[in-house]
Amino acid sequence: MTALISDPAGLQSPATVRPGRTPRRRPKIGRAVLLLLFAAYFFVPLYAAIDFTLGGSRRNMGHTLSVWTGLVHQEGFTTNLMTSLKIAGLTVVLLLVLMVPTMAWLHLRLPHLRRVVEGVCLLPMAIPAVVIANGILGAFKSWPQSITGSSWILILEYVILALPFTYRSLDAGLSAIPLTTMVEAARSLGASWPTTLWRVVVPNIRTAIASAGILGAALALGEFTIANLLLLNTFPVWTDQAGQQDGEVATTASMLILFLSWLLLMLVSHLGRGRTKKSPKLRRSK
Amino acid sequence: MTASAPADVPAGVGEPTPAAAASPLPAAGPRGLGALAGRAGRAGRPRRARRSRPVDLLGLLPFAAYVAVFLGAPAYAVITAAFKDDSGNPTLSNVTTTLKDPYRHAFTVSIELSVFSAVLGAVLGLALAVAVSGARRDGFVHRAVTTGSGVLAYFGGLPLAFVFLATLGPQGLVTKWLNSAGYNLTQHGFVLWNMAGLVLVYLYFQIPLMLLVIFPALDGLRPQWEEAARSLGASRLQYWLRVGGPLLAPPFLGALLLLFANAFAAYATAYALSTGSVPLVPIQIGSVMSGNVLAGQENIGNALGLWMIVVVGLVVVAYTLLQRRTARWLR
């Protein structure tokens, strides 16, 4: 808050921090009130949810961790959590195995097709998950039940849902390194394509790969629509079913999904900060 | 695994629609999350002179085949089935039936919800972004808001529904606070699964998404432009009317469209809040998929899906066009 109100750096060293911003005239109080209102809107529900999982809604019993500790004994909790973790892991592997070589190849050999591939990668945004779920039923009728009736179809489709941000992440990573020079050097020293990819390209864009993978994992952990409509059991689907009997268990499971995916997403934003610090050119100088 | 898959898929299925394929979209990300990864570093490296050979296209084959099978084929299945009756004969009746009630009503409700939550989300998000852009970039407030919005924009779906049930549901904490203050929410017509309730819940991910999309544009407004305008005698209001406003209009409209598409396609939150009883288009599709449909209308869900693709597709295309315009001055 103090940084917001006093802002001494902007006045003392305008050239380094905020070159030439005109001094603010709007009342600072108004801004602080606005920020507080937003903070309330975003924090009260989280507080309420945590209070609820600690048994705060049951009168006169005080707070307890019993719902959290009892979660493991809930029917289906462990199996479905494991299913979702497995789906998330396999989604990440498949996503990266498909997209890292594709993107490297695109940058090296087919740079003029980058826009086309980007457009294709953005298509999942234009086709809602509900529609994809509906289409899966029609399109893969003749496929073996072991794929369409199991987690496999979810893994395969989550890779599709993850394409938009995977493209962006890997594209940014590959644009930030002198890829052609590196690959030519490796090739002229006799490295094979797979070796070049694995020992030269991958280590140099590991931050981008990590971001893409983590975002993919977060998506796969929380996805509900397709899994529910295809009647497959995952952790979110289990949570919804639990919610029809016991709100506390469902809320606790929801908070668990949240904490897991937030942890993953914080990791991404941390990685992102590290990268922009190392290569300041990515950021416009401010 | 991918190469052997596309056996029973018609050729060309996976080809993107031309409009979407041409989308450039350099700045803001899908569902805002891309913004976390930073702006795509398009500039910088010198173009290589090396010409690509036709053989090089083979390198894209696994990707193309994968998308064709797992995105193209489902989309194709929905679109073709929308024009077929129960026994597979061509018909337009599904497409026309979905334009009448109760589906017409579902589209109205869905569009209203999307418009309300998009407009409110965009305006409030912009207000928050402006308030925060005054804070120091490396300061706590700025960092907390950017990180927080990166995380919260992602927070749709099922957990959000349960978080709000714990807050404003019948047993919710805030409901109780208000009760003890003598204000009964239900008596005043508020439930989480009517329009007002859903808008309130959707804002929880719409505002952060707006922040993610609009921050780069807001940061891209150079202070020098304002100084130039001011030194030429413009007032603050004139600067915003003639310079800042027109520059921010395309990214703002683009963000509005993205928020609309985001709300229109959302399923899980509304489903979990209402256990499937709210008349929204995605929920109707889900309900048709679960078998709640009259005989002779098995493909109604596909027709609804077709209309959804039309609506969301158009909106996303318009968004990318606006984004391209923004990219001209935003680097």
Side-chain angles (χ1 to χ4, degrees):
Chain A
M1 257 332 142
T2 45
L4 174 75
I5 292 165
S6 62
D7 189 25
L11 299 172
Q12 284 164 6
S13 53
T16 52
V17 183
R18 285 174 36 204
R21 275 242 166 167
T22 42
R24 293 268 154 188
R25 298 223 188 110
R26 271 173 300 122
K28 312 271 199 241
I29 307 272
R31 184 141 35 106
V33 169
L34 191 71
L35 285 175
L36 276 178
L37 283 177
F38 276 111
Y41 174 67
F42 285 105
F43 283 109
V44 168
L46 291 180
Y47 173 79
I50 292 171
D51 181 75
F52 195 72
T53 65
L54 297 177
S57 68
R58 284 170 281 169
R59 269 174 221 170
N60 308 326
M61 282 180 63
H63 289 78
T64 154
L65 271 172
S66 64
V67 186
W68 282 92
T69 49
L71 218 47
V72 223
H73 305 299
Q74 292 289 331
E75 166 115 36
F77 170 85
T78 322
T79 36
N80 285 305
L81 185 60
M82 283 303 149
T83 308
S84 274
L85 289 174
K86 190 189 81 187
I87 290 175
L90 289 170
T91 301
V92 173
V93 171
L94 184 55
L95 180 68
L96 295 179
V97 166
L98 178 72
M99 288 311 286
V100 172
T102 299
M103 291 298 294
W105 189 257
L106 187 70
H107 271 248
L108 276 173
R109 290 294 168 84
L110 303 159
H112 58 285
L113 286 182
R114 271 164 74 179
R115 285 202 162 179
V116 179
V117 173
E118 182 178 19
V120 174
C121 285
L122 289 178
L123 277 177
M125 278 172 75
I127 305 176
V130 187
V131 181
I132 294 182
N134 208 353
I136 291 168
L137 288 188
F140 305 135
K141 257 182 237 158
S142 56
W143 284 34
Q145 184 71 14
S146 56
I147 294 175
T148 55
S150 73
S151 308
W152 282 108
I153 191 69
L154 294 180
I155 296 164
L156 293 163
E157 291 298 334
Y158 291 170
V159 168
I160 292 287
L161 295 189
L163 283 182
F165 52 78
T166 306
Y167 176 89
R168 194 158 307 277
S169 195
L170 295 180
D171 184 59
L174 287 165
S175 301
I177 60 166
L179 181 70
T180 321
T181 317
M182 284 177 178
V183 171
E184 276 167 5
R187 298 283 290 153
S188 70
L189 289 169
S192 65
W193 266 114
T195 314
T196 311
L197 191 69
W198 184 245
R199 309 254 321 253
V200 177
V201 178
V202 168
N204 275 294
I205 56 165
R206 56 181 184 275
T207 319
I209 292 179
S211 304
I214 292 170
L215 289 172
L219 177 137
L221 272 182
E223 209 282 338
F224 171 74
T225 309
I226 296 183
N228 190 47
L229 288 174
L230 295 184
L231 308 177
L232 295 168
N233 280 321
T234 62
F235 191 61
V237 173
W238 175 83
T239 304
D240 176 58
Q241 286 159 1
Q244 286 160 20
Q245 276 130 45
D246 189 336
E248 278 182 14
V249 170
T251 311
T252 312
S254 294
M255 294 311 282
L256 195 66
I257 302 178
L258 276 187
F259 288 144
L260 272 178
S261 54
W262 284 1
L263 213 65
L264 293 173
L265 294 168
M266 296 290 270
L267 211 60
V268 175
S269 95
H270 184 74
L271 288 173
R273 240 200 331 275
R275 194 193 59 226
T276 44
K277 257 182 212 155
K278 261 180 263 162
S279 54
K281 270 193 183 167
L282 268 183
R283 243 187 183 170
R284 240 175 6 78
S285 57
K286 259 229 121 187
Chain B
M1 136 185 30
T2 50
S4 63
D8 59 343
V9 180
V13 167
E15 295 306 311
T17 55
S23 63
L25 196 107
R31 310 204 149 238
L33 271 169
L36 273 179
R39 284 162 228 161
R42 182 137 309 188
R45 283 185 312 136
R47 278 259 170 275
R48 301 297 303 199
R50 191 189 181 292
R51 306 276 307 168
S52 47
R53 295 163 302 177
V55 187
D56 290 344
L57 281 175
L58 287 178
L60 285 188
L61 202 61
F63 168 74
Y66 193 93
V67 176
V69 174
F70 293 108
L71 184 63
Y76 179 83
V78 167
I79 293 168
T80 49
F83 295 101
K84 283 181 190 157
D85 63 19
D86 288 6
S87 39
N89 301 314
T91 175
L92 280 177
S93 80
N94 297 313
V95 182
T96 50
T97 308
T98 44
L99 289 177
K100 298 186 207 116
D101 278 334
Y103 305 107
R104 187 198 188 88
H105 177 64
F107 272 102
T108 317
V109 176
S110 258
I111 288 173
E112 274 178 13
L113 173 63
S114 310
V115 167
F116 287 152
S117 75
V119 170
L120 272 174
V123 171
L124 292 173
L126 183 68
L128 182 55
V130 169
V132 171
S133 70
R136 269 171 42 206
R137 286 186 67 85
D138 52 348
F140 170 74
V141 174
H142 199 283
R143 273 228 318 270
V145 172
T146 41
T147 311
S149 53
V151 171
L152 288 175
Y154 209 63
F155 175 24
L158 197 71
L160 182 62
F162 285 109
V163 165
F164 265 89
L165 279 172
T167 311
L168 286 164
Q171 295 295 311
L173 190 66
V174 173
T175 312
K176 283 187 184 164
W177 286 348
L178 289 172
N179 267 340
S180 53
Y183 187 89
N184 189 317
L185 272 178
T186 342
Q187 274 174 16
H188 287 79
F190 180 90
V191 280
L192 276 171
W193 43 93
N194 65 13
M195 183 62 75
L198 282 174
V199 169
L200 187 77
V201 177
Y202 276 30
L203 283 178
Y204 207 84
F205 57 80
Q206 295 280 56
I207 293 175
L209 178 58
M210 179 66 185
L211 279 170
L212 282 188
V213 181
I214 208 70
F215 250 137
L218 213 54
D219 280 351
L221 282 181
R222 318 269 166 89
Q224 291 91 328
W225 296 339
E226 183 169 1
E227 283 161 18
R230 300 293 281 275
S231 71
L232 289 169
S235 68
R236 201 182 165 79
L237 180 70
Q238 274 175 317
Y239 163 75
W240 279 111
L241 281 179
R242 311 286 286 272
V243 183
L247 277 171
L248 271 188
F252 181 80
L253 283 177
L256 200 64
L257 290 174
L258 188 67
L259 263 58
F260 177 91
N262 195 30
F264 195 75
Y267 168 83
T269 311
Y271 173 87
L273 275 177
S274 68
T275 46
S277 66
V278 175
L280 296 175
V281 181
I283 290 189
Q284 297 245 348
I285 295 180
S287 141
V288 172
M289 281 179 74
S290 326
N292 301 324
V293 68
L294 300 170
Q297 297 195 343
E298 275 173 22
N299 281 324
I300 276 293
N302 290 309
L304 287 170
L306 172 67
W307 285 118
M308 275 195 93
I309 295 181
V310 170
V311 173
V312 182
L314 282 177
V315 167
V316 169
V317 168
Y319 160 73
T320 56
L321 292 178
L322 281 164
Q323 209 64 52
R324 185 191 301 191
R325 199 183 149 77
T326 312
R328 274 196 229 142
W329 60 270
L330 178 76
R331 282 192 308 108

